[in-house]
Amino acid sequence: MGGEIRLSNSVALEYGIAAPEYRLPAATHVGRVKLQVADLGRSLAYYQQVLGLRVLDQSTHAVLGGQDDSPLIELHERKGARPVPRRGLLGLYHFAILLPDRPALGRFLTHLADIGAHAGMSDHFVSEAVYLQDPDNLGIEVYADRPRSEWRQEQGQLSMSTIPLDVESVAAAAGSDHWSGAPAGTKVGHVHLHVGDIDRAEAFYHRALGLDKMVWSYPGALFLSAGGYHHHLGTNTWARGAPSASNDDARLLEWEIVVPERSDVDAAADSLRGAGHRVDRDGVSATVKDPWGTQLRITT
C-alpha cells in the first residue's frame, strides 16, 4: 500500500506510509509524560507500589522513573480534579511503559497477582501488554516488545491485533526472579490518545508533525511512529462525542517527543507552523496543541 519507505538512516522498510514532506528522524522516541491528578500522595503510593517507579524529585510536583533514574512520569496535583469518566475524554487513552524484555513483564505480572491488582491483558502480535487504571482512572499500559524480526506486515502495514495474552507463558519467562521495581532500561514507549476525528489526527500528526503511518486499518484507530517502530503514538475515535479533558479533570498535561538535535526541533516546528498550527518556543523545546487541546513538547 505505502510501498517501501526509507528512513533517514537509510534503512529500508517494507511497511508503512512515510510522512509526505517533513519526517521526524529515525532516532525519535517518546520522553516523559506529565499527568494531572487529584491527590498527589495517593498517586505516588500507586505509582510506586503497583508500577514499581521511584520518586526522583518532589517539590510542587513529583518526578518518577525506573532504577536507572531516567525521568518517565511527572505528577502534578490539582485538588478535586475529577476522575476520568468510564467513557473517556478526548485526550489521554493511555500512556505506555515499555519494559526492557519479556522476563521483566513476567515478573511484573507475578507482582500484580501477588498484590491482587486487577489488570487487562492482551497480545498485540508486535508486543505483549498489561492494562491498568490509576486512582484517577487514567489509563496505563505496561508492555514488552517482541523482537522486530518477529513482526509481520500485511498489505503494506504492520500486523497488529488484540488477542488474549498467554499469561502462563509470560509469567514463566520470569523464571525464579521476583519483581523489584521497574528495571533499568524502562521507558515510556508510546502514548495513545482519544481524538475526535482520524482524518484530522492524520493531518496533524502525520502530515504536519512528520510521523509515519504504521497501521491504519485497525477499527477506529491510527498508529504512527518514527524509525519503523510499531507505534510511538496511537490515536482512536473510541470516545467520539466526549468533550476534551479540561483543567478540572485528571488528564494528560503534556507528552514529549525527543529528537536527536536542536535542528530537528526547529524543522518540526517549521513544519507544524507551515500547516497553520501555533508553535511556542521554550529554549530548545517547542510546544504545540493538537486539534483537541492535547499538548505535545518536542525536545532534545
Side-chain angles (χ1 to χ4, degrees), residues 223-246:
F223 296 90
L224 308 105
S225 79
Y229 190 56
H230 53 73
H231 67 297
H232 291 115
L233 174 66
T235 63
N236 72 65
T237 55
W238 305 332
R240 187 194 297 269
S244 294
S246 74

Side-chain angles (χ1 to χ4, degrees), residues 10 24 39 67 83 109 206 256 259 269 273 279:
S10 298
L24 287 166
D39 184 324
Q67 292 179 4
L109 272 180
H206 175 58
E256 288 182 346
V259 294
R273 284 198 191 99
V279 179

Side-chain angles (χ1 to χ4, degrees), residues 50-51 99 101-123 128-132 142-144 164-174 177-181 183:
V50 178
L51 298 182
L99 297 177
D101 52 35
R102 197 172 193 245
L105 184 63
R107 294 192 294 273
F108 182 66
L109 272 180
T110 303
H111 160 69
L112 293 181
D114 290 343
I115 65 173
H118 173 76
M121 303 177 190
S122 295
D123 183 332
E128 296 171 297
V130 177
Y131 293 92
L132 301 154
V142 180
Y143 74 112
L165 183 68
D166 187 340
V167 177
E168 291 186 2
S169 175
V170 176
D177 294 334
H178 298 285
W179 178 255
S180 58

Side-chain angles (χ1 to χ4, degrees), residues 10 16 19 30 56-57 75 111 115 119 145-147 155 163 178 192 282 284 288:
S10 298
V30 176
L56 307 180
D57 185 36
L75 298 177
H111 160 69
I115 65 173
D145 281 332
R146 284 197 167 93
Q155 296 184 325
I163 63 174
H178 298 285
H192 196 150
D282 176 12
V284 299
V288 62

Side-chain angles (χ1 to χ4, degrees), residues 44 54-59 61-65 73:
L44 281 173
R54 301 170 57 192
V55 177
L56 307 180
D57 185 36
Q58 186 174 351
S59 54
H61 65 277
V63 180
L64 299 101
I73 311 294

